[in-house]
Amino acid sequence: MKINTAEFVVSNSDASKCPNEPIPEYAFIGRSNVGKSSLINMLTNQKYLAKTSSKPGKTQLINHFKINLNWYLVDLPGYGYAKVSKKTKSTFQKFITDYFDKRRQLVSAFVLIDIRHEAQKIDLEFMQYLGESAVPFAIIFTKADKVGKQKIASLVADYRKKMLADNWEEMPPYFVTSSEHKTGREEVLDYIDEINKDIFQNQNNPI
Ligand code: GTP
Ligand code: MG
């Protein structure tokens, strides 16, 4: 898919105030610092569209970016960031779970996982939560430029094993990406394009 336009539309901390147009959206979620905002910049070929930082906790709000005038990419705050106060943390922040629970425009989430680390409890828990909430999702492994090919294969295999042990019937669709090297860009965009085509062609679509 070709990206012709990508523009920031709005930030907020209230899922009910997100744009109300009936168009599909795709949200990036994952631990702080995993590379959610960087991936949005990589996919859209823009350096500074989403704000990134080497320090965790940079993205604090729900950010909507309109792509090609007819769908949204959504950048979310990370989870598992220790500096968020214990009271507001409750594992996953309420406005984030509100977003996933209520957002009918959300057609797929992407759970981002740093390819360098073995499967972590918090990520498996978040996927469990998405499953229970009936939110479709794919996995995006990030920072693939930091590890060798063999290591990538063994880390993906470790994830598959842990998900199956967690009672998933199969591993969801997954992508291996690097925002540094633009790895996986076409694959992620084509995946979104396929879903969009289905939605745009279906006159009865529920969004
Ligand atoms: P929060 O907004 O804090 O939740 O973080 P985030 O998930 O949006 O991460 P962000 O995109 O801000 O990136 C965090 C750090 O990781 C930055 O220093 C990025 O430059 C770096 N980074 C992101 N993606 C990649 C990648 O593919 N390769 C490498 N080497 N570094 C990356
Ligand atoms: Mg961010």
Side-chain angles (χ1 to χ4, degrees):
M1 174 179 21
K2 196 161 173 267
I3 302 293
N4 297 315
T5 59
E7 51 181 346
F8 167 72
V9 175
V10 67
S11 294
N12 68 75
S13 62
D14 182 344
S16 67
K17 292 189 181 141
C18 291
N20 62 11
E21 297 147 279
I23 61 174
E25 69 188 42
Y26 300 83
F28 290 168
I29 185 72
R31 267 177 298 145
S32 285
N33 209 240
V34 67
K36 301 175 291 296
S37 305
S38 302
L39 189 68
I40 288 185
N41 292 337
M42 185 271 257
L43 293 175
T44 56
N45 263 332
Q46 294 204 26
K47 270 199 171 149
Y48 307 109
L49 185 62
K51 293 195 177 103
T52 67
S53 167
S54 56
K55 291 192 201 121
K58 178 70 179 174
T59 309
Q60 292 284 335
L61 297 167
I62 302 169
N63 299 287
H64 274 75
F65 298 95
K66 201 171 203 178
I67 313 297
N68 290 353
L69 307 175
N70 61 5
W71 57 281
Y72 280 111
L73 276 177
V74 182
D75 193 15
L76 294 169
Y79 51 71
Y81 173 44
K83 264 197 183 166
V84 175
S85 82
K86 285 235 169 71
K87 201 175 158 206
T88 55
K89 200 174 161 197
S90 68
T91 315
F92 306 120
Q93 290 179 67
K94 168 107 172 42
F95 77 96
I96 303 297
T97 50
D98 264 359
Y99 170 83
F100 284 103
D101 292 340
K102 295 182 184 156
R103 189 74 178 152
R104 68 193 159 82
Q105 288 92 335
L106 177 68
V107 293
S108 180
F110 288 96
V111 178
L112 273 64
I113 307 278
D114 188 326
I115 192 80
R116 292 173 297 176
H117 309 304
E118 281 180 13
Q120 312 241 325
K121 193 164 163 253
I122 195 164
D123 296 320
L124 294 166
E125 273 175 15
F126 195 81
M127 292 192 262
Q128 209 69 46
Y129 154 72
L130 289 178
E132 282 156 17
S133 310
V135 176
F137 68 93
I139 294 178
I140 294 185
F141 294 101
T142 63
K143 309 195 183 183
D145 55 286
K146 298 247 192 190
V147 290
K149 274 208 173 117
Q150 269 190 332
K151 179 99 175 139
I152 291 176
S154 78
L155 286 161
V156 172
D158 176 60
Y159 244 93
R160 177 176 281 114
K161 200 168 117 196
K162 290 199 169 124
M163 289 193 77
L164 298 185
D166 251 4
N167 290 326
W168 290 95
E169 274 178 24
E170 56 184 348
M171 177 97 161
Y174 71 87
F175 303 91
V176 175
T177 67
S178 160
S179 293
E180 285 284 307
H181 295 173
K182 293 194 173 262
T183 312
R185 182 173 183 273
E186 287 306 314
E187 287 83 353
V188 173
L189 289 177
D190 286 350
Y191 179 77
I192 292 174
D193 199 30
E194 284 302 310
I195 303 176
N196 280 347
K197 277 185 190 145
D198 243 23
I199 291 172
F200 295 142
Q201 282 160 14
N202 179 2
Q203 301 298 320
N204 300 318
N205 108 62
I207 306 176

